[in-house]
Amino acid sequence: MSQDMATIYVMGKPYEVPKDLTIMKAMEYAGYRFVRGCGCRGAFCGACGTVYRTSDDYRLKVGLACQEVVQDGMYLSEIPFFPGNKAIYDIEELTPTSESVLKLYPEVFRCLACNTCTKACPQDIEVMEYIQAALRGDIAKAADLSFDCLLCGLCAARCPAEIVQYNVALLCRRLCARHIAPKSAHLEKRLEEVEKGKFDKDIAKLMDMDEPELADLYNNRDMEPRD
Amino acid sequence: MYTPEMLELIKRVEATRKERLHQEFPLLSADAKQELLHGFHPDFKDEVFRTLTVGPSKGERTPKEYADVFEAYSTIDPGDFDLSKVDHDVDVLVIGGGGAGASAALVAHEQGANVLLVTKLRLGDSNTVMAQGGIQGADKENDSPAIHYLDVLGGGHYKNIPELAKALVMDAPEILTWLEKLGVMFDKQADGTMITIHGGGTSRKRMHAARDFTGGEIMKTLKDEVLNRDIPLIEFASAYELLTDGDTVTGAVLYNMETEEYLVVNAKTIILATGGGGRLHVTGFPTSNHYGATADGLVLGYRAGAPLIYMDTIQYHPTGAAYPEQILGLLATEKVRSIGGQITNIEGDRFIYELETRDVEAAAIIRECSGRNKGVGTPSGQPAVWLDTPIIEELHGEGTIKARVPAMFRQYERFGIDMSKHPILIYPTQHYQNGGLKIDDSCETDVKNLYAAGEVSGGIHGTNRLMGNSLLDVVVFGRRAGAAAAERATSIKKSSKITLSHLEAFHAELEAAGVPRDRTAPMLLPEYRRPELAGRKLALSS
């Protein structure tokens, strides 16, 4: 084997691939054309959650196929979909409390605090911590800790209590933004001004201008300083 | 991980950092910008383009890669295709599950329309989910929709359709309010004041963010709401062809990406919200776009008779990752420059103000590398310049980068680069399609009952979009399209005349123009398998 190649086992089947490729690009090199298991290709969408093991270790590791570079002797499988429970709710009618969370996701009670979910998170999120925060009603904390969640589902796939952490997290963030975050007075005021037509004349005037007039205004507009 | 040679070069950036720390760098004059764009922006290179010989925008030019999908046959033979069984009979068919499609579906559903949302991959798979930097909206005391409007027009080189630009800026406060009510966690101060920053070409700090997951946070929320409202949804179902009664759209053929069967939809109105075409890789540029960005909706709309606008302008995001190769083309969000990041050449010298509009910024980087030979080489041969990120920590304190751009920090950390300590290497990447299907301010195209919203449409941003106006665009125009399409659906009777006659006419045009028969579209997915494999492919069945 050339020193620039690695052998990877895609769902058990060996392929030789260049060793500096990500799992995703290595699978494409091997001949896979993704329909599932590939999305943004940049660690934002959670389509390519992957479980793998190296030949010298019994432990399972996780990663995103678009980010993780292959290793020689890597046994891997993508888990592009997880059939997790998703509660249906009206965000307007909920309160930001543990009761709301537990009513929709009673299984959160079953959390064993085993921390398996945290170990399974490719985003290094303190998953167990946010589940515990939700359990004790600290919705803002749960929202804050879970912010970088990509909904890949690997936490739920590993949870012995069958909690669907990522959906609990999404609920907490929505509760936080809707019911806890302080209102923006300036936004409310601006919305009212727009609705009352305060800017209609200004806009109409600009819309009537020809290019040289606009360019003159644009090139001489005052700029708020950068940070 | 940087090579020893790169670490040596980084010392030059470090050497100039102190004097750059509070250095004022002037904005370019209008003339200097034009000279730079004409000299170095790909939009001004004739060899990039081809003039279309068929369809409603015949005679207009577009990048060759786009021309190849517009001037292409369907794999459906319109003379021999069974449309006798209608699988879904709806008021409003929304095609595309990104920010625009989800917004459209929510509003149309709210208005009581019988909606079907279909998407090629998963609900939420889109460029929306990848947008990091922010969403614009003039909601601060020192700002106004009119000031926003002027920034949009100037950034777009005054080519914007005024009614569309007006809709964009005037709807913004309502959009921010709507998103927050749905549960999008915007960055705020303790008193509720939105934390807003600059983007390239903004004259006021009006970029709202949800850390550096702004689009992700919006998309996750919209997706959750679509599911909460139980809006009929089919994932992994790509639109493959529109159906018309001759000139008005009446339905679509969908393609099940997994079983390969097709489905027939009969609809009163149709909204195309299929995004752009970054995965066409214009002139071989890497792209920041989602896997599904293959311009399918443009192709379908064009065949049905909808003209294009500004399809000869592509936005190259100035700061795509140039190293390590594994993340080539992915974005270093503009927010990095908004919060003080500086761009330098191999000598550690700045050569452009960091918040020029994206086209100007990208052209300056291309000039620095290929015109002035002051770029930094990388092992793959990809040219690059430095984006000095550690300077942000010097300006705003240690830990700023991890707090303000956590997703990006993590991405570089995965490859052994600590961007709070070392600068990163960047080069422009294909990012956005400024043009698209021409629409009015209710999002209707020139084809009756066919609407378009989001990146698939054109005219809002003129020939260059500003940062943060795309997340705004998808929600503003997604909602407008949803409302207008639902409204129209209540006032018309459904036509059950679903035919491919427009495709038959389009194929005849292609044949007359001598377009090779083996050129087909829509593409649906890009091809990234090794070319050697294609030569040994065996089809399972015909």
Side-chain angles (χ1 to χ4, degrees):
Chain A
M1 191 176 74
S2 144
Q3 67 174 97
D4 294 320
M5 303 295 276
T7 303
I8 62 168
Y9 298 82
V10 180
M11 293 174 275
K13 193 173 174 189
Y15 292 95
E16 260 197 56
V17 298
K19 73 169 174 49
D20 54 354
L21 296 182
T22 57
I23 292 170
M24 181 168 285
K25 287 183 178 175
M27 285 178 70
E28 287 172 337
Y29 178 90
Y32 284 81
R33 192 187 207 194
F34 290 105
V35 174
R36 287 192 187 256
C38 175
C40 73
R41 303 173 74 99
F44 283 97
C45 80
C48 65
T50 300
V51 178
Y52 68 90
R53 191 175 63 74
T54 46
S55 48
D56 56 353
D57 198 345
Y58 66 87
R59 274 173 291 224
L60 289 175
K61 294 175 182 141
V62 294
L64 297 170
C66 69
Q67 299 291 300
E68 200 83 18
V69 176
V70 296
Q71 300 167 40
D72 195 35
M74 187 184 239
Y75 286 76
L76 64 93
S77 179
E78 278 200 349
I79 304 187
F81 177 81
F82 187 77
N85 171 38
K86 145 93 186 102
I88 301 300
Y89 52 85
D90 181 347
I91 193 73
E92 289 293 319
E93 290 179 354
L94 296 182
T95 51
T97 57
S98 62
E99 288 73 35
S100 294
V101 174
L102 292 166
K103 198 170 170 201
L104 293 168
Y105 294 108
E107 62 274 22
V108 168
F109 269 128
R110 301 178 64 212
C111 176
L112 307 166
C114 68
N115 214 32
T116 307
C117 49
T118 301
K119 286 186 219 158
C121 180
Q123 290 285 86
D124 301 326
I125 293 168
E126 296 288 346
V127 184
M128 187 194 80
E129 292 296 328
Y130 80 64
I131 289 295
Q132 290 292 327
L135 191 55
R136 63 175 186 267
D138 193 347
I139 304 299
K141 174 103 177 172
D144 175 58
L145 287 175
S146 70
F147 203 87
D148 298 2
C149 172
L150 309 177
L151 315 179
C152 75
L154 287 173
C155 49
R158 298 282 283 153
C159 179
E162 293 168 299
I163 298 167
V164 183
Q165 290 87 342
Y166 56 91
N167 278 338
V168 175
L170 184 48
L171 170 63
C172 288
R173 287 197 303 281
R174 293 189 65 185
L175 283 174
C176 185
R178 178 65 189 90
H179 298 294
I180 299 176
K183 298 276 165 284
S184 297
H186 61 89
L187 177 57
E188 286 172 7
K189 183 171 169 227
R190 182 52 45 85
L191 184 58
E192 211 182 296
E193 290 170 343
V194 169
E195 280 164 358
K196 282 188 179 154
K198 183 178 173 184
F199 307 103
D200 293 358
K201 259 193 205 154
D202 291 351
I203 293 270
K205 209 169 126 194
L206 290 170
M207 287 174 74
D208 274 345
M209 285 186 187
D210 58 16
E211 186 177 326
E213 279 179 286
L214 280 167
D216 189 48
L217 269 185
Y218 179 76
N219 293 325
N220 295 301
R221 74 205 198 284
D222 63 308
M223 305 285 281
E224 183 176 0
R226 190 159 69 139
D227 278 343
Chain B
M1 201 83 84
Y2 283 125
T3 62
E5 295 78 21
M6 286 169 164
L7 289 170
E8 262 320 294
L9 288 173
I10 286 173
K11 287 181 183 162
R12 294 199 216 171
V13 180
E14 289 168 345
T16 59
R17 191 172 292 144
K18 201 169 168 210
E19 76 184 70
R20 285 186 284 110
L21 199 57
H22 297 291
Q23 180 191 49
E24 295 278 331
F25 204 93
L27 276 158
L28 289 182
S29 70
D31 289 344
K33 278 186 211 170
Q34 284 309 316
E35 195 190 321
L36 179 56
L37 289 173
H38 282 267
F40 293 93
H41 196 284
D43 280 0
F44 294 87
K45 304 239 170 290
D46 286 339
E47 65 271 23
V48 170
F49 299 94
R50 191 166 86 218
T51 299
L52 293 170
T53 57
V54 297
S57 294
K58 187 158 74 177
E60 287 175 25
R61 64 175 208 166
T62 189
K64 288 171 187 164
E65 292 79 1
Y66 275 98
D68 281 347
V69 293
F70 287 127
E71 296 179 330
Y73 293 84
S74 173
T75 60
I76 288 177
D77 175 359
D80 180 27
F81 193 76
D82 183 9
L83 295 166
S84 59
K85 180 177 169 278
V86 172
D87 299 280
H88 298 276
D89 200 331
V90 298
D91 293 337
V92 181
L93 172 66
V94 181
I95 301 171
S103 300
L106 284 170
V107 171
H109 182 260
E110 212 164 79
Q111 295 194 4
N114 169 11
V115 179
L116 175 64
L117 173 58
V118 301
T119 183
K120 180 165 66 179
L121 300 167
R122 303 170 307 163
L123 175 60
D125 274 335
S126 58
N127 284 338
T128 299
V129 82
M130 306 177 74
Q132 300 170 55
I135 176 166
Q136 287 203 41
D139 60 353
K140 292 288 179 76
E141 194 61 45
N142 71 344
D143 201 1
S144 80
I147 298 173
H148 188 178
Y149 180 91
L150 188 61
D151 285 348
V152 172
L153 269 280
H157 303 288
Y158 315 103
K159 305 285 189 230
N160 322 55
I161 295 175
E163 289 71 21
L164 299 181
K166 175 190 171 189
L168 182 78
V169 302
M170 291 291 266
D171 283 8
E174 189 192 345
I175 292 307
L176 292 170
T177 307
W178 184 65
L179 289 174
E180 197 179 22
K181 275 195 172 161
L182 283 175
V184 171
M185 276 178 69
F186 287 114
D187 297 346
K188 286 178 165 187
Q189 292 168 7
D191 68 352
T193 304
M194 294 275 193
I195 296 172
T196 54
I197 60 172
H198 269 302
T202 56
S203 65
R204 296 290 184 278
K205 293 180 185 172
R206 73 169 76 86
M207 197 73 57
H208 303 63
R211 303 189 194 173
D212 65 342
F213 286 97
T214 313
E217 171 70 4
I218 290 173
M219 194 67 247
K220 282 181 267 188
T221 304
L222 293 175
K223 174 180 169 177
D224 198 48
E225 192 61 15
V226 166
L227 298 177
N228 275 351
R229 298 197 196 171
D230 204 16
I231 297 173
L233 162 73
I234 313 176
E235 295 182 311
F236 294 94
S238 180
Y240 202 69
E241 212 62 66
L242 294 176
L243 298 169
T244 67
D245 66 2
D247 43 27
T248 301
V249 289
T250 50
V253 176
L254 310 179
Y255 173 77
N256 182 324
M257 299 287 286
E258 294 172 311
T259 64
E260 301 184 327
E261 75 182 308
Y262 73 87
L263 297 168
V264 177
V265 183
N266 186 190
K268 286 182 175 174
T269 55
I270 296 179
I271 300 170
L272 288 171
T274 49
R279 293 279 159 194
L280 301 183
H281 295 287
V282 170
T283 68
F285 264 88
T287 183
S288 60
N289 282 190
H290 193 277
Y291 187 52
T294 50
D296 306 342
L298 284 167
V299 171
L300 270 48
Y302 193 67
R303 284 176 183 167
L308 306 164
I309 183 168
Y310 304 142
M311 276 307 296
D312 57 347
T313 66
I314 297 294
Q315 181 167 89
Y316 300 86
H317 191 291
T319 57
Y323 180 86
E325 207 193 341
Q326 291 91 341
I327 55 169
L328 182 68
L330 295 182
L331 288 195
T333 170
E334 190 158 320
K335 191 171 172 185
V336 173
R337 283 172 284 137
S338 300
I339 60 176
Q342 294 186 352
I343 294 181
T344 84
N345 59 23
I346 191 168
E347 311 292 353
D349 295 327
R350 289 168 85 188
F351 53 88
I352 185 81
Y353 176 62
E354 285 76 12
L355 292 180
E356 294 282 1
T357 53
R358 285 179 171 172
D359 50 354
V360 171
E361 197 80 25
I365 294 166
I366 295 170
R367 177 179 65 184
E368 203 66 11
C369 294
S370 57
R372 293 173 170 172
N373 207 19
K374 289 208 172 169
V376 185
T378 63
S380 69
Q382 170 70 43
V385 294
W386 294 111
L387 176 54
D388 187 12
T389 42
I391 200 168
I392 296 169
E393 305 256 303
E394 297 216 8
L395 281 166
H396 304 295
E398 213 173 300
T400 304
I401 289 179
K402 205 172 172 182
R404 300 290 295 276
V405 287
M408 203 183 142
F409 180 81
R410 184 182 294 115
Q411 185 155 70
Y412 277 87
E413 203 183 24
R414 281 182 174 125
F415 295 99
I417 293 170
D418 180 346
M419 62 179 279
S420 67
K421 296 200 166 58
H422 288 137
I424 57 174
L425 287 163
I426 54 97
Y427 195 76
T429 181
Q430 188 187 342
H431 186 57
Y432 189 78
Q433 173 185 290
N434 294 310
L437 299 172
K438 190 162 79 65
I439 54 168
D440 63 20
D441 63 2
S442 74
C443 297
E444 194 168 11
T445 67
D446 283 8
V447 176
K448 203 165 172 220
N449 300 338
L450 179 64
Y451 298 77
E455 195 172 345
V456 71
S457 70
I460 301 158
H461 309 288
T463 57
N464 177 61
R465 175 179 64 79
L466 300 184
M467 169 198 182
N469 276 346
S470 181
L471 277 181
L472 178 59
D473 162 353
V474 297
V475 188
V476 166
F477 292 95
R479 280 173 52 94
R480 280 176 172 252
E487 168 78 31
R488 173 73 54 80
T490 59
S491 67
I492 57 172
K493 267 193 163 166
K494 183 174 291 155
S495 163
S496 56
K497 196 174 167 202
I498 47 169
T499 79
L500 287 162
S501 57
H502 66 288
L503 186 63
E504 209 157 334
F506 190 76
H507 276 185
E509 252 194 279
L510 291 168
E511 267 179 46
V515 171
R517 267 314 309 203
D518 60 353
R519 204 196 285 154
T520 59
M523 182 187 283
L524 303 189
L525 294 173
E527 177 59 84
Y528 293 132
R529 291 173 293 193
R530 253 178 312 160
E532 306 91 280
L533 292 171
R536 297 184 68 95
K537 228 164 72 182
L538 259 177
L540 195 59
S541 63
S542 61

